[in-house]
Amino acid sequence: MFNTISLVTDIRGVATLTLYRAEKHNAMSGKMISELTDVARQINEDDAIRVVVLTGAGKSFCAGGDLAWMRAQMEADSETRFAEARKLAEMLQALNTLTKPLIGAVQGNAFGGGVGMISVCDVAIGVDHLKMGLTETKLGIIPATIGPYVLARMGEARARRVFMSARLFDAEEAVELGLLAKVVPADQLAESIEAEVVPYLSCAPGAVAAAKQLARDLGPKIDDSVIDHTIKSLVDRWQTEEAEEGIGAFFDRRKPRWQR
């Protein structure tokens, strides 16, 4: 039983994994991070599941990391900070290494960690009105644990256009950047996702899993050393005056001192 996500599987073996914190724009809390890690394990162990569709409840796909959770890490001791950052990194890797195809149905905006969630999908289709952005630097932090997946999806040259500036971009630019495969009107999203799902139902599940593993083996390496580096980078930023100022300003509903 999950509290922040849902998993529903149809008779064909198509599982829909929904981020279910609509009132918080599906921001990732500690509970959601834990539940996503658990559900990835459950999906891998369920032979009846052939394909997974990842989406969000409500207007937003995922607003990124829950800022209350981040603020708690900044106030915690060093051991707790590293433990929580590792949970986030391991959740992303669990989804990235899912043995089943993962298709993103991006029905709304995605910021920060939400862009990371799109980046671990094998393919993602978005609605034409959505906005995206790697907004971490506005808060004095950095897109650390999502970084390897964003860079793998976009490539360094394209990623550097948006990785540091916190600039928002639209769905069409998200296609250009490599985050989305296609953009469709909202009323066509389900049909477009179905078109991605159906071919897998004619494929041997073991061969699909092996081909996905091979693609990861041949692509950019995201191993323990890379993940450890991202964890340290995130924790280091949590401990800075800029992070304290940026996240504090968000909760105080004021501009951080660097905003012009």
Side-chain angles (χ1 to χ4, degrees), residues 10 60 86 101 114 122 168 175 183 193 196 201 205 214 233 253 256:
D10 70 17
S60 299
R86 183 167 294 281
D122 298 304
L168 300 188
V175 172
V183 172
I193 294 298
E196 295 291 336
L201 303 180
L214 181 62
S233 296
R253 298 180 182 276

Side-chain angles (χ1 to χ4, degrees):
M1 181 67 181
F2 299 112
N3 295 318
T4 66
I5 62 174
S6 73
L7 183 69
V8 178
T9 305
D10 70 17
I11 195 170
R12 302 174 300 168
V14 179
T16 300
L17 172 57
T18 305
L19 308 179
Y20 238 102
R21 298 187 77 214
E23 75 287 356
K24 297 291 186 181
H25 297 278
N26 299 317
M28 293 182 287
S29 63
K31 181 69 171 175
M32 180 182 279
I33 290 166
S34 176
E35 290 189 344
L36 284 167
T37 304
D38 289 344
V39 83
R41 187 180 307 111
Q42 179 179 320
I43 289 167
N44 280 340
E45 293 173 352
D46 189 343
D47 291 339
I49 294 177
R50 302 280 300 275
V51 188
V52 182
V53 176
L54 174 64
T55 192
K59 294 181 178 180
S60 299
F61 175 73
C62 178
D66 186 288
L67 288 180
W69 174 77
M70 290 188 195
R71 193 179 207 181
Q73 309 325 311
M74 292 167 57
E75 296 170 353
D77 58 41
S78 180
E79 183 177 350
T80 300
R81 290 190 193 112
F82 272 96
E84 290 299 303
R86 183 167 294 281
K87 289 177 185 177
L88 175 57
E90 289 178 348
M91 178 273 288
L92 291 164
Q93 183 70 324
L95 291 177
N96 187 57
T97 58
L98 206 63
T99 59
K100 319 296 172 74
L102 182 61
I103 300 171
V106 187
Q107 90 296 349
N109 294 344
F111 304 118
V115 177
M117 294 289 280
I118 292 168
S119 298
V120 300
C121 293
D122 298 304
V123 62
I125 297 173
V127 294
D128 55 10
H129 63 266
L130 67 77
K131 298 289 184 183
M132 291 189 193
L134 292 153
T135 50
E136 288 88 345
T137 53
K138 269 190 170 182
L139 299 167
I141 55 178
I142 59 175
T145 51
I146 67 171
Y149 310 103
V150 172
L151 269 290
R153 172 58 65 87
M154 298 168 66
E156 183 183 350
R158 287 183 295 187
R160 285 170 66 164
R161 288 167 48 183
V162 294
F163 199 71
M164 303 86 75
S165 68
R167 175 175 67 80
L168 300 188
F169 50 92
D170 62 17
E172 293 294 342
E173 188 172 2
V175 172
E176 181 186 345
L177 290 168
L179 287 167
L180 297 177
K182 185 165 62 172
V183 172
V184 297
D187 61 2
Q188 295 178 23
L189 182 60
E191 178 184 353
S192 296
I193 294 298
E194 181 69 6
E196 295 291 336
V197 165
V198 168
Y200 284 111
L201 303 180
S202 300
C203 297
V208 170
K212 182 170 178 176
Q213 177 66 55
L214 181 62
R216 289 200 314 271
D217 290 345
L218 298 176
K221 301 299 181 188
I222 304 175
D223 57 14
D224 289 345
S225 65
V226 170
I227 291 171
D228 288 345
H229 180 60
T230 68
I231 291 168
K232 183 178 185 303
S233 296
L234 178 58
V235 172
D236 285 349
R237 285 308 303 177
W238 277 345
Q239 297 174 157
T240 64
E241 291 182 5
E242 284 188 342
E244 183 176 353
E245 167 67 10
I247 294 177
F250 174 86
F251 283 104
D252 294 344
R253 298 180 182 276
R254 61 176 174 82
K255 293 180 179 180
R257 62 174 181 264
W258 54 75
Q259 185 171 337
R260 299 292 184 262

